[in-house]
Amino acid sequence: MQVVSVAVFVLVMAAIVSEKVHRTVAAVAGGVVLVCLRVLSVDQAVGYIDFNTIGVLIGMMLFVAVVRNSGLFEYVAIKAAKIAHGNPWRIMLLFTLLTAVLSAFLDNVTTVLLVGPMAIAITGILGIDPVPFLLAQILASNIGGTATLIGDPPNIMIGSQAGLGFVDFVVNTGSAVVIILTVVCVCFYLMWGKKMAVAQEKMQAVMQLDEKRSITDRGLMIKSVVMIGVVVLGFTFHGSLGVDSCIIALASATIMLIIGRQDTEEIVLGVEWSTILFFTGLFVVVGGMQQTGVITLLGNALVNATGGNALLLMVLILWGSALLSSFLDNIPFVATMIPLILSMQADGMDVTALWWALSLGACLGGNGTLIGASANVVLSGISAKHGHPIGFGQYLKVGFPMMLLSVAISTAYLLIRFA
């Protein structure tokens, strides 16, 4: 059964990479095959679906679909562009930093759902390709999410099991993120910033825009701003409140649907349902490998390969989790590694560095491929919907090198801090 689960996973990945089969079809087909071959029962397949993630996705997509009708995104986009004086590189830098900061406190998917449409709107005004802006936001969302306890699901899991608090993450992973983000922004400038050329008249046209004119429904905009604040607080304190993040997202969406008084059918159609189905299928495909013990074997192999050397184990966990998280959902992998690290701690090993290696590797690894993290898939879907598809290979050329660079910086950071 292990061979079957791995074979199905490889075939699904191959279909996605080749782009000859739509990724949603490939993922759902993989899940169906695993059930048909009895690698998973129907109940087991359903059990591996992360409904918290699915709930956050649906809830925030509905929420954003309502907010979008107020003109808020266009307002913020124009305001940001005017702050940057219409300079495309400054706009990219501003949006990148905004995405990273928001991702440290909000769910990454929520952040890209809020900031992504801004980039598309402002690049449309400037008449330039939005894809570099969206790629930068994808990378920034995963880097920023690494900085705090609540920024990414693996950090929440690690903090809970290791007894690490919000400040612990800010001091450790947060410090690394500041360095990584600085270097990555320099790379963005070298890749895109130096080549961005916009006619002076278009920059002047941006400066002459009246952001207030973009507001189509002032009442809805006020409600949206208030609710965005509520969402931020909800995601920030949902752990303390004992409420799952999906409840925050779905409750916020429900409230916006009620008070927004928009066409419900139109709003529902605004949800990226193909993305929802893709994640559903992918959870089942990865669950097949978890059910058959493949992920556990991979985790054990990382530990055994080091021969008990804590420093080598730290580096191996960092790179192993990063590379695997580029293709696998990082949540099952982190869930497998946590008990392994706890068992080493019980044997007397100081595992402090291992927790940070696992966090940095699992979170930053999401930048490696287009399917490495939820934000990647969601924002690429939004980009395609607006006529700017981002292919797997196109993303790989940017995302994978940036992931390797960020993990290399993390390696140096951890070695200096814990060697």
Side-chain angles (χ1 to χ4, degrees):
M1 288 299 181
Q2 289 181 341
V3 174
V4 174
S5 66
V6 172
V8 170
F9 174 79
V10 171
L11 288 173
V12 169
M13 291 302 107
I16 294 172
V17 171
S18 69
E19 299 182 356
K20 293 182 178 179
V21 179
H22 193 282
R23 62 188 179 204
T24 301
V25 176
V28 173
V32 171
V33 168
L34 288 174
V35 173
C36 290
L37 295 178
R38 298 188 178 181
V39 174
L40 294 171
S41 67
V42 173
D43 289 341
Q44 288 172 332
V46 172
Y48 281 112
I49 298 172
D50 186 348
F51 286 102
N52 186 62
T53 297
I54 298 298
V56 169
L57 287 170
I58 294 175
M60 292 317 301
M61 285 177 180
L62 289 170
F63 181 87
V64 170
V66 177
V67 174
R68 185 181 295 116
N69 288 342
S70 70
L72 176 62
F73 297 136
E74 290 78 5
Y75 175 88
V76 175
I78 294 171
K79 194 72 174 176
K82 292 176 74 172
I83 291 174
H85 299 288
N87 183 290
W89 160 243
R90 291 177 186 172
I91 294 171
M92 173 181 278
L93 181 61
L94 183 62
F95 281 7
T96 298
L97 296 177
L98 177 64
T99 301
V101 171
L102 288 177
S103 293
F105 299 95
L106 291 178
D107 178 83
N108 293 1
V109 172
T110 303
T111 300
V112 298
L113 282 171
L114 292 172
V115 182
M118 298 180 194
I120 294 172
I122 200 62
T123 51
I125 294 170
L126 289 171
I128 57 178
D129 184 7
V131 171
F133 287 74
L134 299 178
L135 291 175
Q137 286 174 22
I138 288 173
L139 295 168
S141 70
N142 292 316
I143 292 171
T146 311
T148 67
L149 171 67
I150 61 175
D152 220 6
N155 285 0
I156 297 173
M157 296 164 64
I158 292 169
S160 176
Q161 294 296 316
L164 299 169
F166 190 90
V167 176
D168 295 317
F169 277 88
V170 171
V171 170
N172 289 277
T173 57
S175 300
V177 162
V178 171
I179 300 170
I180 293 167
L181 190 61
T182 301
V183 175
V184 167
C185 284
V186 173
C187 292
F188 290 165
Y189 177 73
L190 296 175
M191 286 189 298
W192 299 310
K194 294 175 67 175
K195 303 174 185 177
M196 288 182 179
V198 177
Q200 190 65 32
E201 55 267 24
K202 286 193 174 182
M203 294 174 65
Q204 288 299 322
V206 169
M207 295 304 297
Q208 292 172 6
L209 289 173
D210 182 0
E211 59 271 21
K212 294 179 181 179
R213 288 180 176 272
S214 65
I215 303 173
T216 56
D217 187 331
R218 184 170 295 276
L220 179 59
M221 182 177 178
I222 294 172
K223 295 173 184 176
S224 298
V225 171
V226 172
M227 283 303 301
I228 287 173
V230 172
V231 170
V232 171
L233 291 174
F235 277 119
T236 302
F237 297 107
H238 77 90
S240 302
L241 297 172
V243 179
D244 289 336
S245 54
C246 69
I247 300 301
I248 300 296
L250 290 170
S252 301
T254 302
I255 294 172
M256 282 305 297
L257 284 169
I258 293 172
I259 68 176
R261 298 184 180 277
Q262 302 297 299
D263 186 333
T264 302
E265 291 188 7
E266 177 190 339
I267 298 303
V268 171
L269 289 174
V271 174
E272 299 283 343
W273 292 110
S274 63
T275 299
I276 301 300
L277 287 173
F278 168 73
F279 273 108
T280 302
L282 193 61
F283 281 135
V284 175
V285 171
V286 175
M289 292 199 296
Q290 191 174 6
Q291 178 69 27
T292 56
V294 173
I295 291 180
T296 301
L297 289 175
L298 291 173
N300 288 331
L302 283 174
V303 176
N304 295 332
T306 63
N309 185 309
L311 201 60
L312 181 58
L313 182 60
M314 177 189 74
V315 175
L316 194 57
I317 286 177
L318 173 65
W319 282 93
S321 57
L323 293 172
L324 288 171
S325 294
S326 292
F327 298 93
L328 297 175
D329 178 28
N330 54 17
I331 292 176
F333 177 78
V334 170
T336 301
M337 289 302 299
I338 285 174
L340 294 175
I341 295 177
L342 288 174
S343 67
M344 287 184 280
Q345 185 178 40
D347 291 336
M349 180 184 291
D350 182 2
V351 297
T352 302
L354 303 187
W355 292 124
W356 305 127
L358 180 61
S359 170
L360 287 166
C363 295
L364 295 173
N367 275 334
T369 69
L370 195 58
I371 61 169
S374 305
N376 310 21
V377 179
V378 170
L379 196 49
S380 64
I382 293 173
S383 182
K385 191 173 182 178
H386 285 81
H388 302 279
I390 301 174
F392 190 94
Q394 181 184 10
Y395 178 87
L396 193 68
K397 291 177 182 178
V398 175
F400 202 76
M402 288 295 99
M403 183 274 289
L404 294 178
L405 176 62
S406 62
V407 176
I409 294 171
S410 299
T411 303
Y413 171 81
L414 290 174
L415 287 173
I416 291 171
R417 190 171 179 84
F418 296 104

